[in-house]
């Protein structure tokens, strides 16, 4: 199964596909217990991978809908926020870094940066 094919399907079709794959996996496992050929074990692996692909696409679609719902809002769910590192998440924003106190602004105005003439 190709992921691109799965992305085109709707949520209902994906759940239907998932149920179908799960049924096939169950049948393959029953055949394996009954003592079928070793070729079935590779099919079992493929079926498990297909199930994982379908579940991945379902999860991605759900996350996209939730992302769209919270777009432009002040608070978004924690699992949709940027992970980064703990230190980076707690660091000051660019706006906060650029802020100056009233006292510092007055100092900057009255005591500007000194300029020195350099001999060539």
């Amino acid at each position: 199964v190709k992921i691109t094919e799965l992305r085109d399907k709707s949520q209902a079709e994906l759940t239907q596909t998932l149920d179908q794959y799960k049924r096939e996996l169950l049948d393959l496992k029953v055949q394996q217990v009954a003592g079928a050929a070793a070729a079935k074990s590779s099919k079992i692996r493929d079926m498990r991978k297909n199930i994982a692909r379908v579940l991945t696409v379902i999860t991605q679609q759900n996350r996209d809908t939730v992302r769209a719902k919270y777009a432009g809002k002040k608070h978004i769910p924690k699992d949709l926020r940027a992970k980064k590192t703990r230190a980076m998440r707690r660091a000051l924003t660019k706006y906060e870094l650029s802020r100056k106190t009233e006292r510092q602004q007055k100092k900057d105005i009255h005591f500007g940066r000194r300029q020195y003439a350099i001999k060539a």
Side-chain angles (χ1 to χ4, degrees), residues 69-108:
K69 179 182 171 187
Y70 283 97
K73 300 252 172 84
K74 184 176 180 182
H75 301 291
I76 57 174
K78 286 189 175 177
D79 60 332
L80 295 181
R81 294 179 194 171
K83 179 77 171 123
K84 299 183 182 174
T85 62
R86 191 166 193 263
M88 287 173 73
R89 289 194 303 267
R90 278 151 184 73
L92 295 176
T93 62
K94 287 184 180 179
Y95 172 73
E96 291 167 339
L97 283 168
S98 67
R99 301 272 323 251
K100 288 186 180 178
T101 62
E102 193 175 332
R103 182 180 176 137
Q104 185 62 46
Q105 288 173 351
K106 286 180 182 177
K107 279 185 182 178
D108 291 345

Side-chain angles (χ1 to χ4, degrees), residues 1 21-29 31-32 36-51 53:
V1 180
Y21 285 150
K22 283 186 176 180
R23 255 184 264 112
E24 285 181 39
L25 180 64
L26 183 68
D27 293 342
L28 287 170
K29 284 190 174 184
Q31 290 173 6
Q32 185 186 33
K40 297 290 182 191
S41 62
S42 64
K43 277 192 174 184
I44 289 175
R45 180 181 180 279
D46 292 341
M47 203 51 58
R48 284 174 49 233
K49 299 292 180 186
N50 288 341
I51 290 170
R53 285 186 191 102

